[in-house]
Amino acid sequence: MALVLERKELICSKNFIDGQWLAASSGERFAVTDPATGERITEVADSGPDDARAATDAAARALPAWRDLLPKERAAILHRWNALMLAHQDDLGALISLEQGKPLAEGRGEVAYGASYVAWFADEATRIYGDIIPQQQRGKRMTAVKEPIGIVAAITPWNFPLAMIARKIAPALAAGCTVVAKPAEDTPLTALALALLAHEAGVPAGVLNVITASREKAVPAVGNWLEDARVRKITFTGSTPVGKYLARESANTLKKLSLELGGNAPFIVFDDADLDAAVAGLLAAKFRNGGQTCVCPNRVYVQSGVYAKFAELLSQRVGQLKVAPASDPSAQIGPMINSRALDKIARHVDDATSHGARILAGGKRLPELGPNYFAPTVISDATADMLLCSEETFGPVVPLFRFEDEAEAVKAANDTPFGLASYFYSQDVKRIDRVSRALEAGIVGVNEGALASEAAPFGGVKESGYGREGSKYGLDDYLSIKYVCQGGLD
Ligand code: SIN
């Protein structure tokens, strides 16, 4: 099945600034390629600081009117955007699969997932309450009101080209902020298509601006937003080194930051776990998007009593996964995003085997399918001195570590600077309570591998960042609290 869009104009190649499609001011462009084949899909604007500033100028002009709309007026526009996303689910799903490589069913699923954040925050827009503070002195009324923080810069990754940008833009717009956004250079097309649909939904000119930039140009372009005092907030999903860079470089104007950064998720299987459920949960959590999500289990700790059985059950299932391009309807694992990603995965597997690990399934590149494919892999006898223990592999590789008791498992799970997701399987209620409290992570899956939901707070602790996306807490990152003290009322 070819990845063809019914509505071809959803493939946009210019920046979207102030409601208009504009080439980069330098006239430069860069190629967007299909990771399944390495072939060029199209070219998009290679933006620099002038384009970033033009986007901020538009967002600044649009802010007063957008902020002053009634919350239910903003909500109505967001609901229309949500409806248009769902009406274009097939086309957007195909576009995601085309530029990112994930199987078509996952591409379509991501459209529904991303759209659910838009609907959620449309409703939340109407529930931005403040407080009347209990009276402290006669003649004085003290209130706390919530206001939009201002212009938000959203910088998004390639692994979920639609969901990650939707769950940043939706709360920002719901709160009354205006947005300048830059999607990842590997997957800019879905973000531009979303901007087109937002415009059709009635988002006014300048409220949402999207610019694209190559790896080389992104630093000066985003640098312009970092220096510009009018940009009051940065929301970023991506690597921890880049998150730290953004925090450092935005310090001069003390911007508010939401950073959803790298993970190194542990997945613990205790002796008392339902092993079939644990295998199913691990497959769902690990192989979603080919292992390229921040919440994918990276280290799987299995208690010694069930280690051999679990390894056998898992390897059988992993060996059956179908690796194929998104155009094949039976595909379960697609290509990795690019050759750098593939090289990292291969390096982790080679390092593990050179330190004594054994390959139970996969373990190799699949060049016969295309340039960026890696076989779903299970590795046994993994140890803490291997690269795949300390670094996020971001690919379809499951390393199995053996442990003897609960304290050892929890200590190993927490022995990382990261703290985004964690998972464990156990049927002992007291252990479930103990281990949920002991794990240092923003998200804990207990006997469950599929955690994502627009109604849940998504975010990390430690070097996985700060801020929460989704849920009733997700708007807070886009609001500031103003205390108003009115005197002379006696
Ligand atoms: C991520 O990889 O950053 C997000 C994954 C998710 O939404 O579950």
Side-chain angles (χ1 to χ4, degrees), residues 78-79 81-82 85 113-123 166-167 170:
L78 287 172
H79 274 303
W81 190 30
N82 163 269
M85 287 165 75
Y113 177 48
S116 72
Y117 284 92
V118 179
W120 175 268
F121 284 112
D123 290 340
R167 78 184 190 192

Side-chain angles (χ1 to χ4, degrees), residues 1-2 77 106 123 156 166 213 230 323 358 381 386 392 407:
M1 191 196 300
I77 293 172
E106 287 195 40
D123 290 340
T156 56
R230 294 174 300 170
V323 186
R358 285 183 305 126
D381 305 306
M386 296 173 184
E392 198 176 18

